[in-house]
Structures are given as C-alpha cells and as structure tokens.
Amino acid sequence: STTTTITIMLLLFVMGCEIGANQTLMRNLFTLGGEALVIAVAAVLGSLIGARVVYNKVFKSKTESR
C-alpha cells in the first residue's frame, strides 16, 4: 500500500514536470482549461439529468404502484 502510494506520487510528479516543460501546452493552457471546464460541466449536468430520468422511471413507478 505504501509502495503503491509512493509510486503514484512519483508518477504524478514526473508527469507534472513533463507537462510543465511542454511550451506549446503551457501557451495554450487557458484555452485547454476552458475546454476542459466545459466538458466537465457538461458531464456533470448529463449525469444529473440521467439520474433524474432513471429515478422518475424506476423509483416513482414503484411508489405509485403500492
């Protein structure tokens, strides 16, 4: 468990160094961050809507049939 944690931390550190050293990525970070934010918000909203639809179809129909 400790070995796994240390390995993950090391991999994240190395990945962060590689990303930080990439000048193209760093120049476009604001644009990429904005796109990532839009995708994340869309995923959360889609999950909430999907959960509401499933709740209404599955659980509301069970309580109405009682």
Side-chain angles (χ1 to χ4, degrees):
S1 176
T2 303
T3 306
T4 304
T5 302
I6 292 171
T7 304
I8 291 172
M9 292 173 80
L10 181 63
L11 286 171
L12 286 171
F13 176 76
V14 171
M15 189 172 72
C17 289
E18 291 292 322
I19 290 171
N22 186 335
Q23 293 300 318
T24 305
L25 181 63
M26 296 312 294
R27 274 186 249 118
N28 295 319
L29 191 59
F30 185 74
T31 303
L32 295 172
E35 291 175 8
L37 178 64
V38 169
I39 291 169
V41 168
V44 169
L45 289 176
S47 295
L48 291 173
I49 292 169
R52 177 57 101 182
V53 168
V54 169
Y55 176 79
N56 286 338
K57 295 274 185 195
V58 175
F59 295 109
K60 290 248 178 154
S61 62
K62 284 184 179 180
T63 52
E64 290 173 359
S65 64
R66 287 183 183 177

